[in-house]
Amino acid sequence: MNLHDVYLLSPELSLAGLAALLLMLDLVVQRKRLLSILSIICLIVPAGFVVALWLDLGRDNVPQMTGLFDTLVVDRFSLFFKALFLGIVGLVLMASIDYAAKFQRFQTEYCALVILSAVGMMLLASTQELISIYIALELTALPLAALAAFLRESRSSEAGMKFLILSAISSAVLLYGMVLIFGFTGSTFLKEIASELQRLPLSGDIPFGSYALLLGIVLMIAGFGFKISAVPFQMWVPDVYEGAPTPITAYLSVASKAAGFAVILRVFYTAFPASIISVDWGAVFAVLSALSMTIGNLVAIAQNNIKRMLAYSTIAHAGYIMVGLAAIAARSPQEETFGPAGILFYLGAYAATNLTAFFAVIAISNWTGSDAINDFAGMSRRSPFLAFALAFAMISLIGLPPAAGFIAKVYIFGAAVNSNLVWLAIVGVINSVVSAYYYLRVVRVMYLSPRLSEEPISISPSIKLAVAISGAAVAFFGIFPLPLLRFAEEAASILPLVAIAPR
Amino acid sequence: MNLENILILSGIIFCIGLYGALSKRSMITILMSIELMFNAVNIAAVAFSRYVVPARLAANAASTDEKVLQFLMTGQIFAIFIITVAAAEVALGLAIVIAVYRNRETVDVSQVNLMKH
């Protein structure tokens, strides 16, 4: 490990250092609120390193820099995700400042755990070796399990327990898949797996070319499917989302999902390039995507608790994003596809949208003490700002202009049509129409139902700022999508370069 | 002793663990079953690194010495990492079991169902 490795790892190292610093300052500083604010301000340091690394890549004009015995890879793709995670962490911490008063003297531990989990996600986006991927995955999941149980009352500890058990089972399954692939190819490095797969004789009759590979890849898809909450690995989502502290639910629903997609894209582009086994994994993702969209949306209709409803909506959105994965697989590497850029743009737009929705819910239910949709009645007069933000987020989740969700859906369904997956695009559009029913129900309750009490809702400046920033991002990316689109395209353009050339 | 036997053993242990994790009611037993699943993976990892990697290296005569060592150890290192992470997982699991027990006075997962609708 030399100095260059340290530089490549600097965003993660500085973030982990920040977590350690917070825990130490916690021993001497009495005003915990100050530490929460400090943690948000200090995020500038890793963000600065991310920008420096991005500029370095541009100046040297290299697609990627590798370090730490080739396990760590820094390219625009990983830097896109690091920037996304830093933004999400900043907003989540900002929204938690008041919520964290519930934990009293454990506020700083809460911030440190959120940050540590973000370190895991950032590593996940930039490793190209199976063991490192597994370690990063656990570094992401374990703090999240602790955070889900952080309120330490019945529901919260139940949520933590369910998350921990199911994530442990899923990582055991994922590991078995990884080990089978390691056994089949003799290497844990994604690139060497790919070159070994090209060398080995693969039969055309068996899916994926061989039974060992079939089992290994299916088990890995199952493990990653849990992280992105795709059907049929979605059972944990509603219970954990309902029981966990709401800022953590927001964090889980956007950051954990984005990390899952980052690692899926990396693994399938690098280790199993389309030239070797394209058709098969494309078909797997197409089926999972259609199932996730349909089941997520249909079950969401029946929900009365807004956190549960948003939980099922994230399952549906995992389905929409997987349309992009299926679209990538359906094209050969030479042909242009905007699947990867579509996925990245969707993740960015979806992060802003979902954070807006959850932050508005945090502010409202912190005041009313209830997560039931019916208790949001008349919110348009009790708090016009929050009601408008929540309504705008719902419009973005449906995918209507002028919100960011519209551009994201156009882009990702366009990629599907471009890859001759018209049926999947049609399923997606029908599902968007179905989803309008339950999203608009929230808007109707807030704007048309008679209010339950006259009392206006007072919100603290920190959460107001968090709602305003994320809501402004939704509007900005909806009206001026080009900057984010260019960012996503530049980040995604790296992936086909990394994949080795077809035989 | 050949690779097939070890892999069959690993598969059997993995299935026992998975069955236990999905069917048992006590959280402690579930954590033990999960540990069984991780250990099945360890057996497979070590077996692969003993049998498959040397064969592959013999096929690629061009590999350098450094590379040989790196590949020979991969499976064992994988196992060590899995053991370490599994220990952390169990520690957190037991902490959450205690939190659940303080709230409910039970660790029976079939009774921890406040949010089932």
Side-chain angles (χ1 to χ4, degrees), chain A residues 128-402:
Chain A
Q128 51 172 354
E129 197 257 351
L130 293 180
I131 302 178
S132 326
I133 289 176
Y134 168 64
I135 301 294
L137 212 60
E138 290 296 324
L139 184 55
T140 312
L142 290 184
L144 284 175
L147 284 167
F150 216 78
L151 287 173
R152 295 193 300 171
E153 39 87 357
S154 292
R155 279 165 186 271
S156 178
S157 52
E158 180 178 332
M161 182 195 91
K162 285 180 174 163
F163 185 75
L164 183 87
I165 289 180
L166 289 173
S167 106
I169 293 176
S170 85
S171 47
V173 169
L174 175 75
L175 271 177
Y176 209 66
M178 282 181 173
V179 162
L180 282 175
I181 286 167
F182 160 64
F184 190 69
T185 60
S187 175
T188 54
F189 288 88
L190 298 182
K191 278 181 187 162
E192 293 191 36
I193 290 174
S195 56
E196 195 64 17
L197 287 180
Q198 286 203 314
R199 212 173 53 76
L200 288 169
L202 296 176
S203 132
D205 304 333
I206 310 165
F208 297 110
S210 110
Y211 287 119
L213 211 52
L214 169 69
L215 190 57
I217 291 179
V218 167
L219 289 179
M220 274 177 81
I221 290 179
F224 290 140
F226 171 86
K227 304 290 169 199
I228 59 171
S229 61
V231 171
F233 318 106
Q234 91 292 11
M235 302 303 181
W236 61 281
V237 175
D239 286 359
V240 172
Y241 279 29
E242 187 187 342
T246 319
I248 296 310
T249 311
Y251 188 50
L252 261 178
S253 73
V254 294
S256 171
K257 198 183 293 277
F261 277 105
V263 73
I264 288 180
L265 277 172
R266 172 85 68 192
V267 167
F268 284 97
Y269 251 102
T270 320
F272 312 115
S275 53
I276 302 174
I277 42 173
S278 107
V279 187
D280 301 304
W281 65 262
V284 171
F285 282 123
V287 170
L288 290 185
S289 152
L291 279 176
S292 301
M293 288 190 283
T294 313
I295 293 177
N297 278 324
L298 289 182
V299 185
I301 292 175
Q303 302 305 318
N304 291 315
N305 179 309
I306 192 147
K307 279 165 88 176
R308 268 186 106 77
M309 186 207 92
L310 286 170
Y312 284 106
S313 120
T314 66
I315 296 171
H317 280 272
Y320 298 136
I321 303 174
M322 274 193 289
V323 172
L325 286 179
I328 296 168
R331 305 287 278 183
S332 76
Q334 288 81 36
E335 291 174 292
E336 208 178 334
T337 165
F338 26 86
I343 292 176
L344 298 197
F345 183 84
Y346 202 108
L347 286 170
Y350 173 71
T353 308
N354 230 25
L355 287 181
T356 315
F358 271 110
F359 292 164
V361 170
I362 292 171
I364 293 172
S365 57
N366 231 6
W367 187 260
T368 60
S370 157
D371 292 333
I373 293 177
N374 289 335
D375 290 347
F376 283 55
M379 215 38 89
S380 61
R381 269 153 295 165
R382 294 178 67 188
S383 173
F385 172 68
L386 289 177
F388 177 73
L390 190 51
F392 190 55
M394 294 296 148
I395 284 170
S396 181
L397 285 173
I398 300 169
L400 293 176

Side-chain angles (χ1 to χ4, degrees), chain B residues 4-117:
Chain B
E4 284 81 23
N5 292 351
I6 304 179
L7 286 185
I8 289 169
L9 173 72
S10 143
I12 291 172
I13 295 180
F14 189 82
C15 291
I16 294 173
L18 188 59
Y19 172 77
L22 297 179
S23 67
K24 290 294 164 189
R25 302 175 81 183
S26 158
M27 259 201 80
I28 307 284
T29 323
I30 292 176
L31 286 175
M32 285 159 63
S33 309
I34 290 171
E35 202 69 3
L36 220 48
M37 290 167 79
F38 280 121
N39 285 326
V41 177
N42 285 339
I43 294 175
V46 173
F48 278 133
S49 107
R50 165 71 182 78
Y51 288 94
V52 176
V53 177
R56 180 183 168 238
L57 287 175
N60 294 4
S63 339
T64 59
D65 280 352
E66 198 186 330
K67 228 160 187 179
V68 170
L69 200 66
Q70 189 193 337
F71 278 119
L72 279 179
M73 298 308 289
T74 307
Q76 276 91 330
I77 290 172
F78 208 155
I80 289 175
F81 272 111
I82 295 171
I83 292 168
T84 317
V85 173
E89 203 137 43
V90 168
L92 182 60
L94 290 176
I96 292 179
V97 169
I98 291 172
V100 171
Y101 186 78
R102 279 198 181 144
N103 286 317
R104 313 277 174 87
E105 308 248 311
T106 176
V107 291
D108 183 339
V109 285
S110 62
Q111 288 177 29
V112 184
N113 55 0
L114 266 185
M115 290 178 285
K116 224 171 204 166
H117 294 297

